Amino acid sequence: MYLKVINFIKDLYGTPDFVPLSVPKFIGNEKKYLEECIDSTYVSSVGPFVDRFEKDMAAYTGAARAVVCVNGTNALHMALMLAGVERNDEVLTQALSFIATCNAIAYIGALPVFLDVDDSTMGLSPDAVKAWLARNGELRNGQCYDKATGRRIKACVPMHTFGHPVRIEELAAVCAEWHIELVEDAAESVGSRYKGTHTGLFGKIGVLSFNGNKTITTGGGGMLLFRDEELGARAKHLTTQAKIPHRWEFRHDSIGYNYRMPNINAALGCAQLEHLDEYIADKRATAAAYAEYFSNIDGIRFFTEPEGAFSNYWLNAVILPDHDRQQLFLQETNDNGVMTRPIWEIMNRLPMFAHCRHDSLENTVRFADRVVNIPSSVRCL
Ligand SMILES: Cc1ncc(COP(=O)(O)O)c(C=O)c1O
């Protein structure tokens, strides 16, 4: 049934036997910078590439401060701690996300509350958040509480799904109204902007991932983005074992974390960042080719960037008419050398999060049953 689509994707990627979903591209100074690390012996927690990558990324995104971490998951954990989330707090988020968003909430002993996503963004809906808070929220002593559970609602974590920015200004406004901290899971959206501002810079803290499948990679890696330089400095301290700087003494002033990205990974990041805008231009051209092709295919909708957004199109997505056709599409493409994947299982269908509170999740369930990611790697460079 989907043979024509399979042939189109293979042609787009130069007719290989197998088209992967999303693989990294190394076309610049990666080897040179890695050699510098090895020649200097600075491969681990000391070395100049960490500072350089942080400075370069802060300049690229417009953040007051950027702090690198070992991966996006522990960057999220750190972000939630810095936002003041504590055991038994509730955190408003989307059920339609990669597991790391929820896991980071669970590491603290807090509870995710799953609210619906927008049809236009696939990310957390400000309308759903507003409706939930109007029904369940209560302000007491400058803090927001859930009337039904008595728990504090401390933070809200939207995720920019597949690189497409959510309606982040509206989310920021509703969070401000209810005294809730906004932490953006921008793991998938490096280079994506909303009305010209980089994702991750609308709330208290933003988190990026540089995992191997992302738009740029450091092997494994993550980053915290801050508008507040002082909070960024606090993050730097906590992600480096809370060690008080001294040439030879070991003194620590609080419980810290070994979350700092090694120099060798940061070296890769510096080289990758030099080509990020080219990668995004290439990925956007691929998305435009898909959009045009699928506009003539009955029963398949190609997901495009929402209004006001500039998306990195990290992973391209199509929406099939129903669950059966989603499964058929997955079967036929994967049987014929085109790697595709369904969107994630929604979080409250997983045993560890099945007990969490949620709203109707109407759009969430519709997307979960129908969305498939199609090949999205950089193509022409
Ligand atoms: C939405 C989302 N959040 C968090 C992460 C976690 O990042 P990492 O794999 O670097 O830990 C990822 C990706 O892997 C992600 O897609």
Side-chain angles (χ1 to χ4, degrees), residues 69-76 94 96-102 104 158-162 185-189 207-214 219-223 314 344:
C69 290
V70 174
N71 56 53
T73 308
N74 60 35
L76 268 171
Q94 53 200 72
L96 198 70
S97 186
F98 179 59
I99 188 80
T101 318
C102 261
M159 196 278 278
H160 303 287
T161 305
F162 306 143
D185 183 346
E188 305 183 350
S189 62
V207 168
L208 304 177
S209 166
F210 304 114
N211 185 33
N213 63 351
K214 295 296 188 292
M223 181 166 269
W314 169 54
W344 318 277

Side-chain angles (χ1 to χ4, degrees), residues 338-376:
V338 170
M339 185 173 169
T340 61
R341 286 282 181 269
I343 199 166
W344 318 277
E345 177 64 288
I346 58 179
M347 293 298 111
N348 57 313
R349 286 181 183 164
L350 301 176
M352 0 23 129
F353 298 114
H355 63 289
C356 295
R357 276 156 72 67
H358 59 83
D359 68 6
S360 75
L361 299 177
E362 204 180 310
N363 291 332
T364 302
V365 170
R366 212 183 49 250
F367 281 134
D369 287 344
R370 290 168 176 76
V371 171
V372 174
N373 289 123
I374 57 176
S376 303

